[in-house]
Amino acid sequence: MIGFLRGKLIHKAPPQLLLDVQGVGYEVEAPMNTFYDLPALGEEVRLHTHLIVREDAHILFGFVSEGERSLFRALIKVNGIGPKLALTILSGQTTEAFYRCIDDNDVKALVRLPGVGQKTAERLIVEMRGRLPDLNKFSARESGGGQTYVAKESAKQEAISALCALGYKPQDAARMAQAVASDDSSCEDIIRAALRGAVK
């Protein structure tokens, strides 16, 4: 198992990023909350990782905090929750917000996430209760730097692509991005605002 990676950030296009670790390029998938905390391209970053091995692929997932990775691992143990949906859940809410949903039996907030229906939300609440990792054991953020992501494409188009990768339909992603984008918005600003609006 690969527990963490530390290397130079070469490329980032949500939900994927590329790390150069001593001359080896690692492709990593990460939730949007991790992307918000990434440093600028060319700078060093350290990510906690989880490796999933399938017959046709080895997929590496990366997280800025150990608590986020621990929640990801708990989510994929829930019946019907795969890695992609777990990544979407972590992208749409902070770890703390997800814990509140479970504690408050807040089904409505969970079903606003793409791919999470009524039954899945109810199952999450039932199965995650008592199984959630203790957040107090983890630092609040083991951040990679929090630098602004400078997109090659326009920030809005990059945000729409990221929202589609998270499971939103293209027309919904475009509508969400359009509603919150301004001339000086970064990709992360647009995604953060769009997801915040989707799960109110």
Side-chain angles (χ1 to χ4, degrees):
M1 183 68 73
I2 301 173
F4 75 89
L5 290 175
R6 184 173 61 208
K8 185 186 296 184
L9 185 59
I10 301 300
H11 179 70
K12 48 185 177 180
Q16 296 181 327
L17 54 89
L18 179 65
L19 255 61
D20 179 344
V21 181
Q22 297 183 349
V24 179
Y26 286 87
E27 293 180 342
V28 182
E29 295 198 15
M32 287 311 306
N33 287 326
T34 286
F35 271 85
Y36 299 148
D37 282 339
L38 288 176
L41 294 181
E43 294 189 13
E44 185 175 274
V45 65
R46 184 179 188 273
L47 296 175
H48 299 274
T49 56
H50 180 84
L51 177 65
I52 290 182
V53 179
R54 301 191 322 216
E55 285 186 9
D56 58 342
H58 290 195
I59 306 173
L60 198 59
F61 296 88
F63 310 90
V64 292
S65 74
E66 192 176 346
E68 203 170 51
R69 179 182 64 179
S70 188
L71 178 55
F72 175 83
R73 288 175 169 172
L75 282 168
I76 60 177
K77 291 178 182 176
V78 175
N79 185 34
I81 305 293
K84 185 174 181 180
L85 183 53
L87 214 62
T88 299
I89 291 170
L90 289 172
S91 294
Q93 293 182 321
T94 64
T95 304
E96 293 79 6
F98 180 79
Y99 276 49
R100 284 196 299 273
C101 286
I102 301 301
D103 289 340
D104 299 340
N105 295 313
D106 193 349
V107 173
K108 288 183 178 180
L110 293 174
V111 298
R112 292 190 184 101
L113 298 167
V116 178
Q118 181 82 15
K119 289 183 178 179
T120 301
E122 291 171 353
R123 188 185 313 120
L124 275 168
I125 289 173
V126 170
E127 294 194 29
M128 294 297 288
R129 189 177 300 281
R131 187 192 287 182
L132 289 171
D134 183 3
L135 278 182
N136 294 326
K137 289 197 276 185
F138 309 114
S139 58
R141 274 290 178 207
E142 294 168 21
S143 171
Q147 301 291 328
T148 301
Y149 172 30
V150 181
K152 291 182 180 178
E153 298 179 327
S154 73
K156 189 192 299 182
Q157 286 303 317
E158 195 70 37
I160 291 171
S161 296
L163 290 168
C164 289
L166 292 173
Y168 288 96
K169 295 178 180 177
Q171 60 269 31
D172 292 335
R175 176 181 51 77
M176 291 164 65
Q178 182 64 40
V180 298
S182 62
D183 291 341
D184 59 348
S185 295
S186 69
C187 175
E188 284 91 342
D189 290 338
I190 296 171
I191 295 169
R192 187 183 285 115
L195 291 174
R196 190 184 301 122
V199 297
K200 278 182 181 176

